[in-house]
Amino acid sequence: MSKRNQTLGEFIIENQNSFKYSSGELSKLINSIRLAAKVVNHEVNKAGLVDIIGAAGDTNIQGEDQQKLDVYANDKFIQTLTKRNIVCGIASEEEDDFITINSQDENHQNKYVVLIDPLDGSSNIDVNVSVGTIFSIYRRVTPLGTPVSIEDFLQKGNKQVAAGYVVYGTSTMLVYTTGHGVNGFTLNPAIGSYYLSHPDMQFPEDGNIYSVNEGNYLDFPLGIKKYIKYCQEDEGERPYTSRYIGSLVSDFHRNMIKGGIYMYPKSTKNPKGKLRLLYECNPMAFIAEQANGKASDGFNRIMDIEPTELHERVPFICGSKNMVEKAEEFMRNN
Ligand code: P6P
């Protein structure tokens, strides 16, 4: 049983035996993410003070302006994960292709791949709104001793061994799962330690918050339009409250605590939705399901979708189980 106020390090050690693969390695991997998140948090928290915001001048494969913090966060996570000699490959929203990590003994014995959105919601940085990091961890499927290949990354979400996010908000939290529930750790920046502040996080089965960019309403599928109108009708628990931060990690985190649904449907502007299957939707879906929530593309379980390319997009509906099922009902019937 996890104890509130336990440090993340104590929690990892206490629970590593519950991880069905060789213990120590995943712990080292989570620890490296913990360290990188601390370093990124330090920069995010002073973004307004130094000339580190504003576009870095490049654009990433998504065609989006790369904020300098995007580049910084990407570099930090890649450097930290590489140094720990546990991963054989990394895929990132900020990298066109996956990165092969040569193990220090050069014989590719490392077992894990990490897929990461190093700084999600980065367009919020300049206006001091919370942003996040999202990560997804798999065991490689190609033979040890060979360089990592694309098959190691194009795995269904149901093969994830761990997933989590860091939310750089009013406080910085690391929330993750290894398939045994979801636990949230809050950083005490004064001493650089994370403490178990939210043990066994669960989505309430129902909620009254819906999160969607209603500016795209006219472009949405009819089922989504009808579900939004359902949320706005004055009946029983409704109208619901609309809350949309424009930062997936923050909207997801609030909805997991209070109950709610997040939707990024397809539209004419985004015919497959905007969010990325491998390093946004799958990790958030793993966390959602481990917290008694649900995640679908409106028709199919996100974690059952067969990936075909590294940066593919999918429509994303995620949150309290009953709310997601109601939205799916509207999608089925329209
Ligand atoms: P829009 C941030 O760019 C992001 O990937 C998510 O964090 C966020 O929920 C969404 O896109 C916001 O997109 O089109 O509503 O601004």
Side-chain angles (χ1 to χ4, degrees), residues 80-101:
T80 312
L81 287 166
T82 302
K83 284 201 176 66
R84 290 297 175 99
N85 196 28
I86 316 142
V87 296
C88 53
I90 300 173
S92 167
E93 175 167 63
E94 303 303 336
E95 302 288 337
D96 296 353
D97 201 352
F98 64 83
I99 300 169
T100 301
I101 309 292

Side-chain angles (χ1 to χ4, degrees), residues 120-121 123 213 216 244 246-249 251 262 264 274-275 280:
D120 179 70
S123 56
N213 183 341
N216 300 323
Y244 190 69
S247 180
L248 166 61
V249 170
D251 281 316
Y262 172 95
Y264 209 103
K274 176 185 180 185
L275 300 187
E280 291 175 328

Side-chain angles (χ1 to χ4, degrees), residues 231-259:
C231 294
Q232 294 169 344
E233 278 166 0
D234 187 356
E235 185 182 330
E237 281 287 294
R238 290 172 281 129
Y240 292 160
T241 293
S242 172
R243 286 283 183 276
Y244 190 69
I245 297 177
S247 180
L248 166 61
V249 170
S250 306
D251 281 316
F252 180 100
H253 187 75
R254 179 206 53 243
N255 291 351
M256 180 157 64
I257 292 170
K258 292 180 177 277

